[in-house]
Amino acid sequence: MPTTPATAANSSSNGTGEAILLELVDEDGRTIGTAEKLSAHQAPGQLHRAFSVFLFDEQGRLLLQQRALGKYHSPGVWSNTCCGHPYPGEAPFAAAARRTFEELGVSPSLLAEAGTVRYNHPDPDSGLVEQEFNHLFVGMVQAPLRPDPSEVGETAYVTAEGLAVRHAQGPFSAWFMTVLDAARPAIRELTGPSAGW
């Protein structure tokens, strides 16, 4: 992945061992400061910038990931293809492509913006809060996955009907349905009406 000033400053290989910082934003998504990642998620939560990626295969199936059991937030639950936080000063589009590659070992094709959504979702299991201004992206996956086991427990491709069954069985991330519903218009445009999204 290309190195930008934001990624270089926040690279784990820069030897500083500094805490990961997130961009704090106002209700309109304007940057107003930074906060350490864990503190931004502690109740009541601080509104910060995030992104969610939805990738589909050629058959119009959504790629889901099960978050690794070692993650401090929402471990072991199913969620969208990839989600995370841009580094301060990093464009959400660049962050979405970067994290998809880091977590799943694949670069998305035809990645496109799909709007934004703002939400406040407490996680009852951890007590952490997702207070996010989330940038949505949709695209295609056209290469074999190489998931990082420290990030991803399992992956699955699902149809719209298959997702309904799997979602009923749970567990899914607290934010999943919010970001999926907000991205649906762009998903339908990408996958076509026959995919059922």
Side-chain angles (χ1 to χ4, degrees), residues 52-56 62-65 67 74 77-83 117 119 121 130 132 134 136 156 158-160 162-164 166-168 170-184 187 197:
S52 290
V53 178
F54 296 86
L55 297 184
F56 295 82
L62 171 62
L63 173 59
L64 297 176
Q65 72 153 275
R67 294 166 63 83
S74 302
V77 303
W78 287 91
S79 199
N80 49 294
T81 308
C82 180
C83 53
V117 63
Y119 53 78
H121 285 301
E130 288 291 4
E132 294 186 329
N134 196 306
L136 307 171
V158 296
T159 62
L163 175 61
R166 188 179 284 263
H167 191 263
F172 271 74
S173 64
W175 62 87
F176 176 74
M177 287 308 298
T178 300
V179 293
L180 175 63
D181 287 343
R184 279 188 197 274
I187 290 170
W197 294 102

Coordinates of all heavy atoms in Angstrom, one line a residue, residues 52-56 62-65 67 74 77-83 117 119 121 130 132 134 136 156 158-160 162-164 166-168 170-184 187 197:
S52 N -16.8 2.2 6.8 CA -17.3 0.9 6.7 C -17.3 0.5 5.2 O -17.7 1.3 4.4 CB -18.7 0.7 7.2 OG -18.8 0.8 8.6
V53 N -16.7 -0.7 4.9 CA -16.6 -1.2 3.5 C -17.5 -2.4 3.3 O -17.6 -3.3 4.2 CB -15.1 -1.6 3.3 CG1 -15.0 -2.1 1.9 CG2 -14.2 -0.4 3.5
F54 N -18.2 -2.4 2.2 CA -19.0 -3.5 1.7 C -18.5 -4.0 0.4 O -18.6 -3.3 -0.6 CB -20.5 -3.1 1.6 CG -21.1 -2.7 2.9 CD1 -20.9 -1.4 3.4 CD2 -21.8 -3.6 3.7 CE1 -21.5 -1.0 4.6 CE2 -22.3 -3.2 4.9 CZ -22.2 -2.0 5.4
L55 N -17.9 -5.2 0.3 CA -17.4 -5.7 -0.9 C -18.2 -6.9 -1.4 O -18.7 -7.7 -0.5 CB -15.9 -6.1 -0.8 CG -14.9 -5.0 -0.5 CD1 -13.5 -5.6 -0.5 CD2 -15.0 -3.8 -1.4
F56 N -18.4 -7.0 -2.7 CA -19.2 -8.0 -3.3 C -18.4 -8.8 -4.3 O -17.5 -8.3 -4.9 CB -20.5 -7.4 -3.9 CG -21.4 -6.8 -2.9 CD1 -21.1 -5.5 -2.4 CD2 -22.5 -7.4 -2.4 CE1 -21.9 -4.9 -1.5 CE2 -23.3 -6.8 -1.4 CZ -23.0 -5.5 -1.0
L62 N -22.3 -10.6 -0.6 CA -21.6 -9.7 0.3 C -20.5 -10.5 1.0 O -20.8 -11.6 1.6 CB -22.6 -9.1 1.3 CG -22.0 -8.3 2.4 CD1 -21.1 -7.1 1.9 CD2 -23.1 -7.8 3.4
L63 N -19.3 -10.0 1.1 CA -18.3 -10.6 1.9 C -18.4 -10.1 3.3 O -18.3 -8.9 3.6 CB -16.9 -10.2 1.3 CG -15.7 -10.6 2.2 CD1 -15.6 -12.1 2.4 CD2 -14.4 -10.1 1.5
L64 N -18.7 -11.0 4.2 CA -18.7 -10.7 5.7 C -17.4 -11.2 6.3 O -16.7 -12.1 5.8 CB -19.9 -11.5 6.4 CG -21.3 -11.2 5.9 CD1 -22.2 -12.1 6.7 CD2 -21.6 -9.8 6.2
Q65 N -17.1 -10.6 7.4 CA -16.0 -11.1 8.3 C -16.4 -11.2 9.7 O -17.3 -10.5 10.2 CB -14.7 -10.2 8.2 CG -14.8 -8.9 9.0 CD -13.5 -8.3 9.4 OE1 -13.0 -8.8 10.5 NE2 -12.9 -7.4 8.7
R67 N -15.1 -11.0 13.3 CA -14.0 -10.3 14.0 C -13.2 -11.3 14.9 O -13.8 -12.1 15.5 CB -14.5 -9.1 14.8 CG -15.1 -8.0 13.9 CD -15.9 -7.0 14.7 NE -15.1 -6.3 15.7 CZ -14.4 -5.2 15.5 NH1 -14.3 -4.7 14.2 NH2 -13.7 -4.6 16.4
S74 N -15.9 -5.8 20.4 CA -16.8 -6.7 19.6 C -16.1 -7.9 19.0 O -16.2 -8.2 17.9 CB -17.5 -5.9 18.5 OG -18.2 -4.8 19.0
V77 N -17.8 -11.4 16.7 CA -19.1 -11.1 16.1 C -18.9 -11.0 14.6 O -17.8 -10.6 14.1 CB -19.8 -9.9 16.7 CG1 -20.0 -10.1 18.2 CG2 -19.1 -8.6 16.4
W78 N -19.9 -11.2 13.8 CA -19.9 -11.0 12.4 C -20.2 -9.5 12.0 O -20.9 -8.9 12.8 CB -20.9 -11.9 11.7 CG -20.5 -13.3 11.7 CD1 -20.8 -14.3 12.6 CD2 -19.7 -14.0 10.7 NE1 -20.2 -15.4 12.3 CE2 -19.5 -15.3 11.1 CE3 -19.1 -13.5 9.5 CZ2 -18.8 -16.2 10.4 CZ3 -18.3 -14.5 8.8 CH2 -18.2 -15.8 9.2
S79 N -19.6 -9.0 11.0 CA -19.8 -7.7 10.6 C -19.6 -7.5 9.1 O -19.3 -8.5 8.4 CB -18.9 -6.7 11.4 OG -19.4 -5.4 11.3
N80 N -19.6 -6.3 8.6 CA -19.4 -6.0 7.2 C -17.9 -6.3 6.8 O -17.1 -6.7 7.7 CB -19.7 -4.6 6.8 CG -19.1 -3.6 7.8 OD1 -19.5 -3.5 9.0 ND2 -18.2 -2.8 7.3
T81 N -17.6 -6.2 5.5 CA -16.3 -6.6 5.0 C -15.2 -6.1 5.8 O -14.2 -6.8 6.2 CB -16.2 -6.2 3.5 OG1 -17.3 -6.7 2.8 CG2 -14.9 -6.8 2.9
C82 N -15.2 -4.8 6.1 CA -14.1 -4.2 6.8 C -14.6 -2.9 7.4 O -15.5 -2.2 6.8 CB -12.9 -3.9 5.9 SG -11.5 -3.0 6.6
C83 N -14.2 -2.5 8.6 CA -14.5 -1.2 9.2 C -13.3 -0.8 10.0 O -12.5 -1.6 10.4 CB -15.8 -1.3 10.0 SG -15.8 -2.5 11.2
V117 N -23.1 8.1 7.5 CA -24.1 7.9 8.5 C -23.5 8.2 9.9 O -22.4 7.9 10.1 CB -24.7 6.4 8.4 CG1 -23.7 5.4 8.7 CG2 -25.9 6.3 9.3
Y119 N -24.1 7.6 14.0 CA -24.8 6.8 15.0 C -24.1 6.7 16.3 O -23.0 7.1 16.5 CB -25.0 5.3 14.4 CG -23.7 4.7 14.0 CD1 -22.8 4.1 14.9 CD2 -23.4 4.6 12.6 CE1 -21.7 3.5 14.5 CE2 -22.2 4.0 12.2 CZ -21.4 3.5 13.2 OH -20.2 2.9 12.8
H121 N -24.0 3.7 19.1 CA -24.3 2.3 19.4 C -23.5 1.8 20.6 O -22.3 1.5 20.4 CB -24.1 1.4 18.2 CG -25.1 1.5 17.2 ND1 -26.5 1.3 17.4 CD2 -25.0 1.8 15.8 CE1 -27.1 1.4 16.2 NE2 -26.3 1.8 15.3
E130 N -19.9 3.0 20.3 CA -19.5 3.4 18.9 C -20.3 4.7 18.6 O -21.5 4.7 18.3 CB -19.9 2.4 17.9 CG -19.0 1.2 17.9 CD -17.6 1.4 17.4 OE1 -17.3 2.6 17.1 OE2 -16.8 0.5 17.3
E132 N -20.0 7.4 16.1 CA -19.3 7.5 14.9 C -20.0 8.4 13.8 O -21.2 8.3 13.7 CB -18.9 6.2 14.4 CG -17.9 5.4 15.3 CD -17.4 4.1 14.7 OE1 -18.1 3.5 13.9 OE2 -16.3 3.8 15.1
N134 N -19.6 7.9 10.1 CA -19.1 6.8 9.4 C -19.2 7.1 7.9 O -20.3 7.3 7.3 CB -19.8 5.6 9.8 CG -19.1 4.3 9.3 OD1 -18.8 4.1 8.2 ND2 -18.9 3.4 10.3
L136 N -19.1 5.5 4.2 CA -19.4 4.2 3.6 C -18.8 4.1 2.3 O -18.8 5.0 1.5 CB -21.0 4.1 3.5 CG -21.7 4.4 4.8 CD1 -23.2 4.5 4.6 CD2 -21.4 3.4 5.9
A156 N -17.1 -15.1 5.0 CA -18.2 -15.8 4.3 C -18.8 -14.8 3.3 O -18.9 -13.6 3.5 CB -19.3 -16.2 5.3
V158 N -22.3 -14.0 1.4 CA -23.7 -14.3 1.5 C -24.6 -13.5 0.5 O -24.2 -12.4 0.2 CB -24.2 -14.0 3.0 CG1 -23.5 -14.8 4.0 CG2 -24.0 -12.5 3.3
T159 N -25.6 -14.2 0.1 CA -26.7 -13.5 -0.6 C -27.5 -12.6 0.3 O -27.4 -12.8 1.5 CB -27.6 -14.5 -1.3 OG1 -28.2 -15.3 -0.3 CG2 -26.8 -15.4 -2.3
A160 N -28.4 -11.8 -0.2 CA -29.3 -11.0 0.6 C -30.1 -12.0 1.5 O -30.3 -11.7 2.7 CB -30.1 -10.1 -0.2
G162 N -29.4 -15.1 2.3 CA -28.5 -15.8 3.3 C -28.1 -14.9 4.4 O -28.0 -15.4 5.6
L163 N -28.0 -13.6 4.2 CA -27.7 -12.7 5.3 C -28.8 -12.6 6.3 O -28.6 -12.6 7.5 CB -27.4 -11.3 4.7 CG -27.2 -10.2 5.8 CD1 -25.9 -10.6 6.7 CD2 -27.0 -8.9 5.2
A164 N -30.1 -12.6 5.8 CA -31.2 -12.6 6.7 C -31.2 -13.8 7.6 O -31.4 -13.6 8.9 CB -32.5 -12.5 5.9
R166 N -28.5 -15.7 8.5 CA -27.3 -15.6 9.3 C -27.5 -14.5 10.4 O -27.1 -14.7 11.5 CB -26.1 -15.3 8.4 CG -24.8 -15.4 9.2 CD -23.6 -15.1 8.3 NE -23.3 -16.2 7.4 CZ -22.4 -17.1 7.7 NH1 -21.6 -17.0 8.8 NH2 -22.1 -18.1 6.8
H167 N -28.1 -13.4 10.0 CA -28.3 -12.3 11.0 C -29.2 -12.7 12.1 O -29.0 -12.4 13.3 CB -28.8 -11.1 10.3 CG -28.8 -9.8 11.1 ND1 -29.9 -9.4 11.8 CD2 -27.8 -9.0 11.5 CE1 -29.5 -8.3 12.5 NE2 -28.3 -8.0 12.3
A168 N -30.2 -13.5 11.8 CA -31.1 -14.0 12.8 C -30.4 -14.9 13.8 O -30.8 -15.0 15.0 CB -32.3 -14.7 12.1
G170 N -27.2 -14.7 14.5 CA -26.2 -13.8 15.2 C -24.9 -14.5 15.6 O -24.7 -15.7 15.3
P171 N -24.1 -13.9 16.4 CA -24.2 -12.5 16.8 C -23.5 -11.6 15.7 O -22.6 -12.0 15.1 CB -23.4 -12.4 18.1 CG -22.3 -13.4 18.0 CD -23.0 -14.5 17.1
F172 N -24.0 -10.4 15.6 CA -23.5 -9.4 14.6 C -23.1 -8.1 15.4 O -23.6 -7.9 16.5 CB -24.5 -9.0 13.5 CG -24.4 -9.9 12.3 CD1 -24.9 -11.2 12.4 CD2 -23.9 -9.4 11.2 CE1 -24.8 -12.0 11.3 CE2 -23.8 -10.2 10.0 CZ -24.3 -11.5 10.1
S173 N -22.2 -7.3 14.8 CA -21.8 -6.1 15.5 C -23.0 -5.2 15.7 O -23.9 -5.2 14.9 CB -20.7 -5.4 14.6 OG -21.2 -5.0 13.4
A174 N -22.9 -4.3 16.7 CA -24.0 -3.4 17.0 C -24.3 -2.5 15.9 O -25.4 -2.0 15.7 CB -23.7 -2.7 18.3
W175 N -23.3 -2.1 15.1 CA -23.4 -1.1 14.1 C -23.8 -1.7 12.7 O -24.1 -1.0 11.8 CB -22.1 -0.3 13.9 CG -21.0 -1.1 13.5 CD1 -20.6 -1.5 12.3 CD2 -20.0 -1.8 14.4 NE1 -19.4 -2.3 12.3 CE2 -19.1 -2.5 13.6 CE3 -19.9 -1.8 15.8 CZ2 -18.0 -3.2 14.1 CZ3 -18.8 -2.6 16.3 CH2 -17.9 -3.2 15.5
F176 N -23.8 -3.0 12.6 CA -23.9 -3.6 11.2 C -25.2 -3.2 10.5 O -25.1 -2.7 9.3 CB -23.8 -5.1 11.3 CG -24.0 -5.8 10.0 CD1 -23.0 -5.8 9.1 CD2 -25.2 -6.4 9.7 CE1 -23.2 -6.4 7.8 CE2 -25.4 -7.0 8.5 CZ -24.4 -7.0 7.5
M177 N -26.3 -3.3 11.0 CA -27.6 -3.0 10.3 C -27.6 -1.5 10.0 O -28.2 -1.2 8.9 CB -28.8 -3.5 11.1 CG -29.0 -5.0 11.0 SD -28.9 -5.8 9.4 CE -30.3 -5.0 8.6
T178 N -27.1 -0.7 10.8 CA -27.2 0.8 10.6 C -26.4 1.1 9.3 O -26.8 1.8 8.4 CB -26.7 1.5 11.8 OG1 -27.5 1.3 12.9 CG2 -26.7 3.0 11.5
V179 N -25.1 0.6 9.3 CA -24.3 0.9 8.1 C -24.8 0.2 6.8 O -24.7 0.8 5.8 CB -22.8 0.6 8.4 CG1 -22.3 1.6 9.5 CG2 -22.5 -0.8 8.8
L180 N -25.3 -1.0 7.0 CA -25.8 -1.7 5.8 C -27.0 -1.0 5.2 O -27.1 -0.7 4.0 CB -26.2 -3.1 6.2 CG -26.9 -3.9 5.0 CD1 -26.0 -4.1 3.9 CD2 -27.4 -5.3 5.6
D181 N -27.9 -0.6 6.1 CA -29.1 0.1 5.6 C -28.7 1.5 4.9 O -29.3 1.8 3.9 CB -30.1 0.3 6.7 CG -30.8 -0.9 7.1 OD1 -30.8 -1.9 6.3 OD2 -31.4 -1.0 8.2
A182 N -27.8 2.2 5.5 CA -27.4 3.4 4.9 C -26.7 3.3 3.6 O -26.7 4.1 2.7 CB -26.4 4.2 5.9
A183 N -26.0 2.1 3.4 CA -25.3 1.9 2.1 C -26.1 1.2 1.1 O -25.7 1.1 -0.1 CB -24.0 1.0 2.4
R184 N -27.3 0.8 1.4 CA -28.1 0.0 0.4 C -28.3 0.7 -0.9 O -28.2 0.0 -2.0 CB -29.5 -0.3 1.0 CG -29.4 -1.5 2.0 CD -30.8 -2.0 2.4 NE -30.8 -2.8 3.6 CZ -30.7 -4.1 3.6 NH1 -30.5 -4.7 2.4 NH2 -30.7 -4.8 4.7
I187 N -25.2 0.0 -2.8 CA -25.1 -1.4 -3.0 C -26.0 -1.9 -4.2 O -25.6 -2.7 -5.0 CB -25.5 -2.2 -1.7 CG1 -24.4 -2.0 -0.7 CG2 -25.6 -3.7 -2.0 CD1 -24.7 -2.5 0.7
W197 N -30.5 -6.8 -2.9 CA -30.1 -5.9 -1.8 C -31.0 -4.7 -1.7 O -31.0 -4.1 -0.7 CB -28.6 -5.5 -1.9 CG -27.7 -6.7 -1.8 CD1 -27.1 -7.4 -2.8 CD2 -27.4 -7.4 -0.6 NE1 -26.4 -8.5 -2.3 CE2 -26.5 -8.5 -1.0 CE3 -27.7 -7.2 0.7 CZ2 -26.0 -9.4 0.0 CZ3 -27.2 -8.1 1.7 CH2 -26.3 -9.1 1.3

